[in-house]
């Protein structure tokens, strides 16, 4: 990736933390990184596998497990009747049944778990179930759900201003409907857990989970045991992306159930196809909008109906649809606005968190509308976007969102301007228009789109974190915190923070596996909050120990504690200097406490759900991306040729890791918008259930020119060293790819018509949009 834009913004100081390699980089590339299936097990370890129910929904009339229980190697089969405690493990609201008993809510819903001597024996035995079901017609679409009042949770509404009055003032209106596909998480490590029984009815649960405390809670409830008897440990995951926030819990519970009764270690690991069939996806949405705007293209009034297809239970859908509503504006002032969100129930697997958590689905409708407004008025879409940005034209009266949050630290106009200049957007746009005039088959599209993404859990109580630091007498430091590592570099950033606080080399720091017996009651590693929350908690713990050490030295040398400095593995003050490890030895003999528990809670946030108003986010992360796409109008095939990104990271804690997150998020988001198509049959069973029929982006899909640079300006809020979250926001940057495809298709009408293009924009959908555009031209 070549450097396109200067990292250092004009007039700002560059105080970037020195990049450090990922703490597990060597293990990753050498194959030594241990995941659940790599953990050394006891000699008596057994293996579990879920027994899938019938491939339809309805009433279960017969469940014959005789073939399962007598299969080779089988030790025992567990059903719902064997569960001593809770059978419903819903994360927030009830509905997620661990093992079905009489009703099959979605195709292949687990009805039992088989335990055998080997993984293969368990997997083969699980396929021998015989079920009979009295089937019913499933509800699978938004239209069917609305017609039957089929919801998992009540609707929610947000309003700002008098929409009806504003519509009376507009010169143009635009309406549209956009169907947005879901997405498979496709983490490299499938759902997995290993549970070891300990003495006193205690269990040690190794789980590939983003939320160890949630796993601890539901295991304790399923087994009717107190929480202190369950310890959950997570060293790392082979990817999560939200798919292991709530939906790792069932598999840990099933393994724990078997381990508790059999008093033997139990491992469970799903095959890829079973994992895809049994776990939730990114929610598909159907969004309707109506926009009123003036002759310049300025939005004056807007209405959005957001419909999330949630599956058979609430899972995390209430918060996901809420976030889609929060981000219906993306980066734009909507004028007088009304946003309503529906949580539709469908007879499929329950959908769950996915990177962006509903935000991406909420943003697409307004981006679709702005492209269409530009075509209606004969203007460049970028000009329409700039005109409608929050704070556009220097106005301060349009810096409040439709849910009442005042926007601060908003520099998207500057980001867009700098990116547009450096990627030569205006010149290339003119060149492509000329090219498309003379090229009958290949059309080039160009689009630049922004992202404004709110950072915080929208459930206020989750915005807290803890950390534990021990300094040993040789000066080495051990850190434990509530966040989990899924490849994103969280442990690396936490280690960097602690090293910075003590002024020592990062090699002194060891970040240990996340464990519920070290830091309790933790929040999930999600909502891009991992570093914001756990980094501040780790800093708090480090500062406590530093203050004790400073007080010890201040008393010894009769100096002010404020003049004692930790830097370069030394601790110095007026008239003295000593090595860090020498100080630790001295402090130990002076009986200074070298351990501390840190804690952090995010300030300023709060949202009144009844009123639909408040401040759900601590701050906004921002960015912009420009995509160049070449489309073959004979086949619908297309190639993303070039992408330029400028993304706001505050004061980056680790520029290399941040660039990795930006590039990975962009490609994953591009896959969601272009190639990753979920296909379900008429019973609600997933047909695209393997890499053979579900296409994630490959290396060949990476843009030939891929420029990524960081917009570094200290966060206006007091985050850890004024950095910004970088996990989820880049996922939405590839909206520019989708818009660029639409731009290329629009050239067939001399940019007079905006094509309709649902997502994912597969080759087939692009081809149909091309044909529709050609027909529209003929009909003029």
């Amino acid at each position: 990736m070549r450097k396109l834009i200067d990292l250092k913004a004009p007039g700002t100081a560059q105080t970037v933390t020195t990049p450090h390699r990922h703490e597990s980089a060597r293990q990753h590339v050498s194959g030594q990184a241990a995941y659940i299936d790599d953990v050394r097990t006891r000699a008596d370890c057994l293996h579990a596998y879920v027994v899938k129910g019938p491939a339809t929904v309805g009433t279960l009339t017969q469940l014959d497990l005789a073939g399962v229980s007598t299969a080779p190697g089988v030790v025992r089969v567990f059903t719902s009747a064997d569960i001593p405690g809770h059978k419903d493990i819903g994360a927030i609201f009830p509905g997620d049944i661990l093992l079905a008993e009489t009703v099959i809510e979605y195709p292949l819903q687990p009805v039992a778990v088989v335990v055998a001597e080997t993984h293969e024996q368990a997997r083969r035995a699980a396929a021998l179930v015989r079920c009979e079901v009295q089937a019913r017609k499933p509800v699978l679409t938004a239209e069917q759900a609305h017609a039957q009042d089929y919801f998992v949770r009540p609707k929610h509404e947000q309003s700002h201003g008098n929409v009806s009055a504003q519509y009376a003032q507009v010169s143009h209106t635009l309406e549209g409907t956009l169907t947005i596909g879901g997405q498979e998480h496709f983490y490299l490590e499938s759902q997995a857990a290993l549970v070891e029984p300990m003495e006193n009815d205690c269990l040690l649960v190794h789980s590939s989970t983003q939320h160890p405390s949630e796993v601890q809670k539901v295991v304790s409830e399923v087994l009717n045991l107190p929480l202190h008897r369950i310890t959950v440990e997570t060293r790392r995951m082979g990817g999560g992306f939200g798919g292991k926030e709530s939906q790792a819990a069932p598999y840990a519970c099933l393994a724990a159930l078997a381990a508790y009764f059999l008093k033997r270690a139990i491992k469970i690991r799903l095959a890829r196809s079973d994992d895809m069939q049994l776990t939730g996806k990114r929610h598909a949405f159907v969004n309707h909008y109506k926009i009123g705007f003036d002759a310049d293209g300025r939005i004056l009034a807007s209405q959005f109906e957001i419909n999330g297809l949630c599956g058979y239970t609430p899972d995390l859908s209430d918060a996901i649809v809420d976030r889609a509503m929060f981000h219906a504006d993306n980066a734009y002032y909507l004028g007088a606005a009304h946003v309503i969100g529906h949580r539709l129930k469908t007879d499929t697997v329950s959908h769950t968190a996915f990177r962006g958590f509903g935000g991406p689905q909420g943003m697409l409708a307004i981006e679709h509308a702005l492209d269409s407004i530009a075509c209606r008025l004969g203007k460049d879409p970028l000009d329409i976007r700039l005109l409608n940005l929050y704070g556009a034209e220097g106005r301060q009266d349009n810096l409040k969102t439709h849910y009442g949050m005042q926007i601060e630290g908003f520099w998207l106009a500057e980001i867009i301007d700098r990116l547009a200049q450096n990627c030569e957007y205006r010149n290339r746009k003119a060149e492509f228009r000329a090219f498309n005039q003379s090229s009958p088959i290949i059309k080039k599209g160009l689009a630049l789109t922004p992202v404004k993404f709110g950072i915080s859990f929208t459930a206020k109580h989750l915005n807290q974190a803890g950390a534990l630091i021990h300094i040993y007498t040789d000066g080495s430091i051990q850190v434990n915190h509530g966040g989990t590592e899924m490849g994103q570099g969280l442990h690396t950033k936490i280690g960097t923070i602690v090293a910075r606080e003590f002024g020592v080399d990062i090699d002194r720091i060891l970040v240990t596996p996340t464990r519920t017996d070290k830091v309790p009651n933790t929040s999930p590693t999600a909502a891009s909050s991992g570093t914001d929350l756990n980094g501040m908690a780790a800093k708090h713990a480090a500062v406590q120990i530093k203050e004790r050490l400073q007080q010890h030295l201040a008393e010894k040398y009769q100096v002010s504690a404020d003049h004692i400095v930790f830097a370069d593995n030394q601790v110095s003050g007026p008239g003295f200097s000593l090595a860090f490890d020498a100080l630790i030895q001295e402090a130990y003999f002076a009986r200074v406490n070298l351990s501390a528990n840190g804690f952090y809670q995010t300030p300023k946030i709060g949202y009144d759900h009844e009123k639909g108003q408040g401040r759900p986010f601590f701050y906004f992360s921002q960015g912009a991306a420009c995509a160049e796409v070449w489309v073959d109008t004979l086949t619908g095939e297309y190639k993303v040729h070039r992408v330029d990104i400028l993304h706001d990271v505050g004061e980056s804690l680790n520029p290399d890791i941040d660039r990795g997150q930006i590039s990975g998020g962009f490609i994953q988001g591009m896959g969601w918008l272009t190639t990753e198509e979920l296909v379900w049959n008429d019973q609600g069973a997933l047909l695209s259930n393997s890499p053979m029929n579900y296409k994630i982006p490959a290396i060949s899909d990476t843009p030939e020119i891929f420029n990524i640079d960081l917009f570094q300006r200290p966060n206006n809020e007091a985050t850890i060293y004024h950095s910004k979250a970088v996990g989820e926001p880049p996922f939405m940057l590839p909206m520019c790819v989708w818009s660029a495809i639409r731009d290329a298709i629009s050239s067939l009408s001399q940019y007079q018509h905006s094509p309709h293009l649902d997502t994912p924009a597969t080759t087939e959908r692009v081809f149909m949009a091309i044909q529709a555009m050609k027909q529209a031209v003929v009909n003029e």
Side-chain angles (χ1 to χ4, degrees):
M1 289 178 274
R2 64 180 177 85
K3 187 170 181 296
L4 178 67
I5 300 169
D6 219 1
L7 289 180
K8 184 176 176 182
T12 63
Q14 191 171 353
T15 56
V16 180
T17 302
T18 303
H20 297 284
R21 71 169 180 264
H22 192 290
E23 50 91 27
S24 293
R26 291 186 182 276
Q27 295 96 312
H28 286 157
V29 299
S30 64
Q32 298 178 65
Y35 298 91
I36 298 297
D37 205 35
D38 301 315
V39 175
R40 292 182 181 272
T41 58
R42 303 177 185 181
D44 67 347
C45 182
L46 298 172
H47 297 262
Y49 213 93
V50 293
V51 178
K52 295 181 292 187
T56 187
V57 296
T59 302
L60 189 63
T61 57
Q62 183 179 9
L63 177 62
D64 182 358
L65 296 170
V68 179
S69 58
T70 59
V74 170
V75 176
R76 182 169 172 179
V77 179
F78 293 88
T79 66
S80 180
D82 297 306
I83 298 173
H86 291 193
K87 300 182 181 184
D88 187 328
I89 61 168
I92 301 174
F93 305 103
D96 292 274
I97 305 302
L98 185 58
L99 294 172
E101 287 186 281
T102 58
V103 179
I104 301 299
E105 301 268 17
Y106 68 92
L108 307 178
Q109 183 176 6
V111 294
V113 60
V114 58
V115 180
E117 296 290 344
T118 70
H119 171 81
E120 187 60 20
Q121 287 174 334
R123 190 181 69 83
R124 289 179 179 273
L128 300 176
V129 63
R130 296 290 179 266
C131 297
E132 291 185 10
V133 64
Q134 183 177 340
R136 64 174 175 82
K137 184 177 176 63
V139 173
L140 301 176
T141 68
E143 293 79 6
Q144 292 170 341
H146 272 294
Q148 299 184 34
D149 290 331
Y150 209 47
F151 305 103
V152 297
R153 292 285 299 155
K155 67 182 180 183
H156 181 48
E157 298 183 59
Q158 299 165 340
S159 293
H160 169 69
N162 190 324
V163 177
S164 298
Q166 277 296 88
Y167 271 129
Q169 306 298 317
V170 305
S171 52
H172 299 274
T173 60
L174 177 74
E175 296 187 55
T177 297
L178 188 65
T179 300
I180 303 163
Q183 186 178 19
E184 162 64 31
H185 297 87
F186 218 95
Y187 28 65
L188 294 179
E189 178 194 26
S190 62
Q191 299 285 2
L194 168 65
V195 181
E196 300 177 82
M198 315 297 281
E199 62 182 25
N200 296 323
D201 283 336
C202 293
L203 295 174
L204 175 58
V205 181
H206 302 271
S207 176
S208 183
T209 177
Q210 295 171 235
H211 199 350
S213 288
E214 174 71 14
V215 170
Q216 179 192 31
K217 173 179 176 290
V218 294
V219 168
S220 74
E221 290 173 347
V222 165
L223 298 180
N224 212 13
L225 293 172
L227 282 162
H228 71 261
R229 294 189 186 274
I230 312 298
T231 298
V232 179
E233 176 177 309
T234 300
R235 172 60 188 95
R236 62 172 59 85
M237 287 162 276
F241 310 119
K244 296 177 180 177
E245 182 174 345
S246 64
Q247 298 206 358
Y251 307 100
C253 288
L254 293 175
L257 177 69
Y260 180 72
F261 280 105
L262 298 177
K263 307 303 179 187
R264 293 173 68 173
I266 305 291
K267 182 187 285 188
I268 189 168
R269 169 176 54 83
L270 295 188
R272 175 64 61 187
S273 60
D274 286 341
D275 188 293
M276 293 180 74
Q277 291 172 332
L278 297 177
T279 62
K281 319 300 176 194
R282 176 185 296 281
H283 290 60
F285 274 68
V286 179
N287 295 343
H288 307 289
Y289 65 82
K290 180 181 178 182
I291 307 291
F293 54 99
D294 65 17
D296 294 323
R298 186 180 294 102
I299 295 173
L300 301 178
S302 56
Q303 292 172 281
F304 293 88
E305 181 189 292
I306 291 173
N307 297 286
L309 279 68
C310 302
Y312 86 105
T313 75
D315 192 80
L316 304 175
S317 295
D318 221 32
I320 288 167
V321 176
D322 276 357
R323 188 172 276 269
M325 298 172 65
F326 288 132
H327 289 87
D329 60 342
N330 187 12
Y332 314 104
Y333 181 65
L334 297 178
H338 178 250
V339 181
I340 184 169
H342 297 288
R343 291 90 169 130
L344 304 180
K345 182 174 181 178
T346 55
D347 296 319
T348 65
V349 63
S350 190
H351 299 308
T352 191
F354 200 127
R355 197 176 196 169
F357 204 75
Q361 297 98 307
M363 292 179 184
L364 280 181
I366 188 62
E367 295 298 336
H368 186 275
L370 291 175
D371 283 338
S372 300
I373 290 171
C375 275
R376 173 84 64 88
L377 300 178
K379 296 190 175 186
D380 190 304
L382 181 57
D383 292 329
I384 298 298
R385 289 184 166 92
L386 288 169
L387 179 67
N388 285 290
L389 280 181
Y390 282 109
E393 302 173 324
R395 291 170 56 194
Q396 297 300 307
D397 61 337
N398 65 351
L399 279 169
K400 184 173 283 190
T401 67
H402 58 284
Y403 48 90
M405 179 171 171
Q406 189 71 29
I407 294 179
E408 301 168 341
F410 189 73
W411 32 74
L412 251 180
E414 182 181 347
I415 291 173
I416 292 171
D417 182 63
R418 195 184 315 168
L419 178 62
Q421 288 185 42
N422 285 276
C423 76
E424 299 180 309
Y425 173 86
R426 302 289 181 181
N427 291 339
R428 290 165 65 204
K429 191 77 170 180
E431 289 174 8
F432 292 179
R433 281 182 171 253
F435 174 88
N436 290 338
Q437 286 278 8
S438 60
S439 176
I441 297 174
I442 303 299
K443 302 294 182 181
K444 293 184 179 181
L446 189 71
L448 194 159
T449 58
V451 167
K452 172 186 68 66
F453 188 77
I455 304 298
S456 289
F457 286 100
T458 53
K460 184 177 179 179
H461 69 279
L462 294 178
N463 294 283
Q464 59 177 304
L468 178 65
I469 294 180
H470 303 314
I471 304 182
Y472 295 95
T473 54
D474 63 352
S476 61
I477 302 171
Q478 189 181 92
V479 185
N480 192 273
H481 62 93
T484 55
E485 176 63 51
M486 60 193 96
Q488 82 279 37
L490 176 59
H491 285 351
T492 306
K493 287 189 173 183
I494 299 298
T496 300
I497 291 165
V498 174
R500 175 169 170 171
E501 285 301 315
F502 287 114
V504 300
D505 296 334
I506 195 171
D507 292 342
R508 285 183 184 262
I509 314 297
L510 177 66
V511 182
T512 57
T514 311
R515 281 180 64 112
T516 56
D517 60 353
K518 286 193 174 182
V519 177
N521 310 320
T522 59
S523 297
T525 304
S528 303
S529 66
T531 302
D532 281 7
L533 295 178
N534 296 287
M536 289 293 271
K539 180 183 178 183
H540 179 227
V543 166
Q544 293 176 62
I545 299 174
K546 274 179 65 177
E547 288 175 347
R548 295 172 198 156
L549 294 171
Q550 287 170 326
Q551 186 61 36
H552 162 73
L553 291 171
E555 292 173 0
K556 177 180 178 180
Y557 292 103
Q558 294 299 296
V559 298
S560 170
D562 294 338
H563 295 152
I564 298 171
V565 177
F566 289 69
D568 300 324
N569 297 300
Q570 300 285 315
V571 184
S572 58
F576 73 91
S577 179
L578 67 163
F580 179 80
D581 45 6
L583 168 62
I584 298 305
Q585 274 285 328
E586 181 181 301
Y588 167 72
F589 285 108
R591 298 185 296 179
V592 175
N593 183 0
L594 298 174
S595 179
N597 173 39
F599 183 77
Y600 175 74
Q601 56 179 303
T602 307
K604 297 185 177 182
I605 55 174
Y607 179 70
D608 188 327
H609 209 266
E610 290 295 320
K611 296 179 180 178
Q613 296 285 296
R615 178 176 179 163
F617 308 119
F618 189 26
Y619 64 91
F620 291 104
S621 179
Q622 301 151 70
C626 181
E628 174 185 332
V629 176
W630 300 354
V631 177
D632 185 333
T633 58
L634 294 182
T635 65
E637 294 179 283
Y638 55 88
K639 172 68 177 175
V640 182
H641 177 67
R642 174 177 170 176
V643 168
D644 298 273
I645 295 172
L646 181 57
H647 192 73
D648 168 32
V649 295
E651 284 287 357
S652 176
L653 296 176
N654 190 314
D656 288 351
I657 283 179
D658 287 350
R659 282 195 183 87
Q661 285 294 290
I662 293 167
S663 61
F666 186 92
I667 296 299
Q668 188 177 48
M670 190 175 75
W672 164 59
L673 290 170
T674 59
T675 64
E676 297 184 42
E677 184 175 26
L678 294 169
V679 180
W680 311 80
N681 69 12
D682 58 4
Q683 296 301 309
L686 184 70
L687 297 179
S688 51
N689 59 4
S690 78
M692 295 286 290
N693 49 29
Y694 184 81
K695 187 182 186 306
I696 64 171
I699 191 65
S700 58
D701 296 304
T702 304
E704 294 176 23
I705 303 171
F706 197 14
N707 300 312
I708 298 175
D709 276 304
L710 309 181
F711 182 89
Q712 296 200 92
R713 180 171 296 170
N715 193 344
N716 58 296
E717 295 294 350
T719 52
I720 183 71
Y721 307 138
H722 293 278
S723 62
K724 282 194 173 184
V726 74
E728 291 175 293
F731 184 92
M732 285 140 279
L733 292 172
M735 291 188 297
C736 63
V737 172
W738 174 63
S739 285
I741 295 171
R742 297 181 68 220
D743 181 62
I745 298 171
S746 180
S747 71
L748 292 167
S749 68
Q750 304 303 313
Y751 304 97
Q752 298 301 302
H753 297 289
S754 182
H756 182 81
L757 185 61
D758 290 329
T759 70
T762 59
T763 298
E764 293 85 355
R765 284 198 177 96
V766 171
F767 178 76
M768 288 187 286
I770 290 168
Q771 297 305 109
M773 184 61 65
K774 290 179 178 178
Q775 188 60 49
V777 172
V778 170
N779 292 339
E780 285 185 339

